[in-house]
Amino acid sequence: QVQLVESGGGSVQAGGSLRLSCAASQYTYNTNCMGWFRQAPGKEREGVATIYTGGVSTYYADSVKGRFTISQDNAKNTVYLQMNSLKPEDTAMYYCAASTRYCGAWYRPRTYDYWGQGTQVTVSS
């Protein structure tokens, strides 16, 4: 079973930066993609970014494109989300997810098999 643990959340001022980390268990060899989602109170969970196995393809939500970067360190079995130029609307609980299935619908939570417990990101103005 794949286990995911997020870290790196916190509180920052608008315009600041944070880097989130998602450490995966040894059972990620068959994952097709790993992604980041976020959910604010009263809103549905939305896809932020995803990276396909091998790092050959990445995708981003329009709202974060140009500000966020997803990357992976295969040696550490870890996926990162570098968040720059943060805005108050980025405030949410951020979740890491992994999928062993086709990832064409990368932005849909149902695509993913495994989830971390989340890390809170708060951006103040």
Side-chain angles (χ1 to χ4, degrees):
Q1 182 177 351
V2 175
Q3 295 181 339
L4 306 173
V5 180
E6 305 101 328
S7 62
S11 298
V12 297
Q13 288 186 302
S17 299
L18 285 173
R19 184 175 67 178
L20 306 184
S21 298
C22 174
S25 73
Q26 59 183 322
Y27 303 109
T28 59
Y29 62 90
N30 63 340
T31 59
N32 292 321
C33 65
M34 296 186 68
W36 287 96
F37 286 74
R38 66 186 182 186
Q39 187 168 25
K43 299 181 65 177
E44 295 185 358
R45 190 167 299 188
E46 64 172 337
V48 175
T50 195
I51 185 166
Y52 279 70
T53 300
V56 296
S57 296
T58 58
Y59 297 93
Y60 299 90
D62 289 340
S63 59
V64 307
K65 195 172 298 182
R67 299 188 297 121
F68 292 9
T69 302
I70 188 169
S71 61
Q72 64 186 194
D73 184 334
N74 292 329
K76 296 182 178 180
N77 213 24
T78 300
V79 174
Y80 304 94
L81 185 68
Q82 178 66 46
M83 305 185 294
N84 298 326
S85 302
L86 283 164
K87 305 175 181 179
E89 49 262 47
D90 294 319
T91 295
M93 183 73 75
Y94 282 71
Y95 299 90
C96 177
S99 176
T100 62
R101 304 173 60 85
Y102 171 67
C103 293
W106 67 268
Y107 49 87
R108 295 180 178 175
R110 295 185 184 275
T111 296
Y112 299 83
D113 304 294
Y114 303 101
W115 293 84
Q117 292 185 312
T119 185
Q120 179 67 38
V121 171
T122 302
V123 184
S124 62
S125 59

